[in-house]
Amino acid sequence: MSENIAISVIVPVYNVEKYLRKCLDSVVNQTLKNVEIILVDDGSTDNSGAICKEYAAKDDRIIYFYKENEGLAAARQDGIERAHGEYVGFVDSDDWLELNMYERMYTVATEHNADIVFCNCY
């Protein structure tokens, strides 16, 4: 990536093929475009890996890697270790985002020089 990365979005993935496309569409289509999307496949045995690879082939902001299953915390940590963004965000692979969520959060973070920004969820 040639531009500065505002947010590294880490998505731990484990056997979520039913929900994964909706999640990834909501991340890929964020109004904030200077993000990297790190997909950490934590040993999925369903079609989740193939879906991740499909999205990574279409969008150069997506980094995909597979690892043996070690659980959610380890998958998140592996994503953090690969992150290059000014900020790090997490999205569970069975959730989805409002399309302007990261833009709004990044604006607030930079305006207030914040280390952490939280938002509501439902």
Side-chain angles (χ1 to χ4, degrees), residues 41-94:
D41 184 347
D42 191 33
S44 293
T45 57
D46 66 358
N47 201 34
S48 295
I51 294 168
C52 289
K53 289 176 188 176
E54 172 191 325
Y55 276 75
K58 291 187 223 174
D59 192 324
D60 64 1
R61 298 174 301 162
I62 298 176
I63 301 160
Y64 166 78
F65 68 97
Y66 177 89
K67 61 186 282 317
E68 294 300 318
N69 182 264
E70 294 182 289
L72 180 61
R76 285 184 174 164
Q77 184 60 43
D78 286 345
I80 290 170
E81 291 170 6
R82 289 170 166 80
H84 298 99
E86 182 180 353
Y87 290 93
V88 173
F90 298 99
V91 180
D92 290 341
S93 53
D94 59 349

Side-chain angles (χ1 to χ4, degrees), residues 4-120:
N4 292 334
I5 300 168
I7 302 174
S8 296
V9 180
I10 299 168
V11 185
V13 175
Y14 181 73
N15 291 345
V16 288
E17 68 179 313
K18 181 177 176 182
Y19 310 102
L20 188 55
R21 290 183 190 282
K22 186 171 185 175
C23 173
L24 295 180
D25 286 344
S26 77
V27 177
V28 167
N29 293 310
Q30 286 291 300
T31 55
L32 182 66
K33 298 299 183 192
N34 58 332
V35 299
E36 71 177 347
I37 303 160
I38 303 171
L39 307 179
V40 183
D41 184 347
D42 191 33
S44 293
T45 57
D46 66 358
N47 201 34
S48 295
I51 294 168
C52 289
K53 289 176 188 176
E54 172 191 325
Y55 276 75
K58 291 187 223 174
D59 192 324
D60 64 1
R61 298 174 301 162
I62 298 176
I63 301 160
Y64 166 78
F65 68 97
Y66 177 89
K67 61 186 282 317
E68 294 300 318
N69 182 264
E70 294 182 289
L72 180 61
R76 285 184 174 164
Q77 184 60 43
D78 286 345
I80 290 170
E81 291 170 6
R82 289 170 166 80
H84 298 99
E86 182 180 353
Y87 290 93
V88 173
F90 298 99
V91 180
D92 290 341
S93 53
D94 59 349
D95 293 339
W96 66 93
L97 311 174
E98 294 292 329
L99 295 180
N100 65 346
M101 185 189 93
Y102 278 124
E103 182 175 20
R104 291 177 67 194
M105 292 179 77
Y106 184 75
T107 299
V108 169
T110 55
E111 284 176 355
H112 298 281
N113 196 28
D115 293 328
I116 299 173
V117 177
F118 291 92
C119 65
N120 292 328

